[in-house]
Amino acid sequence: LVSVSSITKIKRIDRIIDSLELFLIKNKKINCVWNHIGSGILEEKIKEYSFSKLRHYKNLEVNFLGEISNDKVREFYISNKIDIFINVSEAEGTPVSIMEAMSMGIPAMGPNIGGISELITDQSGYLLPENPTIQEIAEGLERMLVLSKNKNIRINAKRLIRARFSAEKNYKTFIHEITSLN
């Protein structure tokens, strides 16, 4: 499991922690690693909260990796087996963090806000409700655990990003549309 965001109130990292706890209570035999990439004003509070809530779970490893470059994030995706990308923000545009993960074949889950529904479909991940409860996020994790084992969901995530968000393809289309206006 990986999340990438600043650690601020709007990103609701505490909900990831709470939903992980609920997930682990129900799934005691599943070994889980959660890596969070990013830092922010609430970093120390979130680390403390995570430790207080999750330290008793021997089947969980939590890593706060801090702020790292895009190249290092890409290397991390290549070097580690990642089943799920998670976002539970209360506000987003079209998150580049989700696009980057999906471009590496990592299925994503996130709330139906901003442009997230343009990225996450039934074929590429799991779309949460706009303001998901802890229970809904935990259930989403369970569903994603099953989905991530399906090779097609990973292929579809990659294809969707290439088809809809390829800068090279979109720039050419944009230039063609602009030049054809004359």
Side-chain angles (χ1 to χ4, degrees):
L1 178 67
V2 70
S3 53
V4 177
S5 72
S6 56
I7 304 177
T8 60
K9 185 176 180 190
I10 201 166
K11 296 301 183 179
R12 303 192 294 201
I13 307 302
D14 58 320
R15 287 192 181 199
I16 296 174
I17 295 165
D18 293 340
S19 62
L20 259 176
E21 181 179 38
L22 202 55
F23 173 84
L24 292 167
I25 288 168
K26 192 173 175 185
N27 297 281
K28 292 178 171 62
K29 293 184 179 182
I30 294 175
N31 289 320
C32 184
V33 178
W34 170 40
N35 293 292
H36 180 80
I37 298 171
S39 61
I41 195 163
L42 296 178
E43 186 170 359
E44 289 311 311
K45 282 186 179 182
I46 287 295
K47 284 180 179 178
E48 289 170 17
Y49 185 66
S50 172
F51 181 74
S52 71
K53 294 279 279 195
L54 303 174
R55 72 174 179 257
H56 305 293
Y57 298 95
K58 302 298 181 212
N59 58 331
L60 174 68
E61 177 185 331
V62 175
N63 302 302
F64 285 92
L65 304 176
E67 202 70 37
I68 59 177
S69 71
N70 284 354
D71 289 341
K72 295 287 184 195
V73 172
R74 202 169 199 54
E75 285 175 29
F76 180 82
Y77 290 159
I78 292 168
S79 303
N80 294 278
K81 181 183 182 301
I82 302 167
D83 294 313
I84 305 166
F85 183 94
I86 184 171
N87 175 309
V88 296
S89 295
E90 69 180 54
E92 285 287 358
T94 304
V96 173
S97 60
I98 294 176
M99 282 189 244
E100 289 172 342
M102 289 175 63
S103 75
M104 300 297 290
I106 301 168
M109 68 181 272
N112 190 4
I113 58 169
I116 291 179
S117 64
E118 295 175 34
L119 300 170
I120 300 175
T121 68
D122 289 342
Q123 290 78 38
S124 65
Y126 183 68
L127 193 61
L128 293 164
E130 184 176 321
N131 188 19
T133 65
I134 301 308
Q135 179 72 37
E136 289 169 326
I137 298 167
E139 289 169 2
L141 288 171
E142 288 180 357
R143 182 175 175 148
M144 285 296 293
L145 189 61
V146 173
L147 287 175
S148 69
K149 293 182 186 342
N150 179 340
K151 193 176 188 177
N152 287 332
I153 201 106
R154 292 178 176 276
I155 292 167
N156 291 339
K158 212 179 229 186
R159 281 184 182 156
L160 185 141
I161 297 305
R162 282 190 187 141
R164 294 187 188 170
F165 299 97
S166 164
E168 184 178 327
K169 178 182 166 189
N170 290 339
Y171 289 146
K172 286 178 183 175
T173 303
F174 178 71
I175 296 297
H176 179 265
E177 287 177 7
I178 294 296
T179 55
S180 66
L181 290 175
N182 293 337

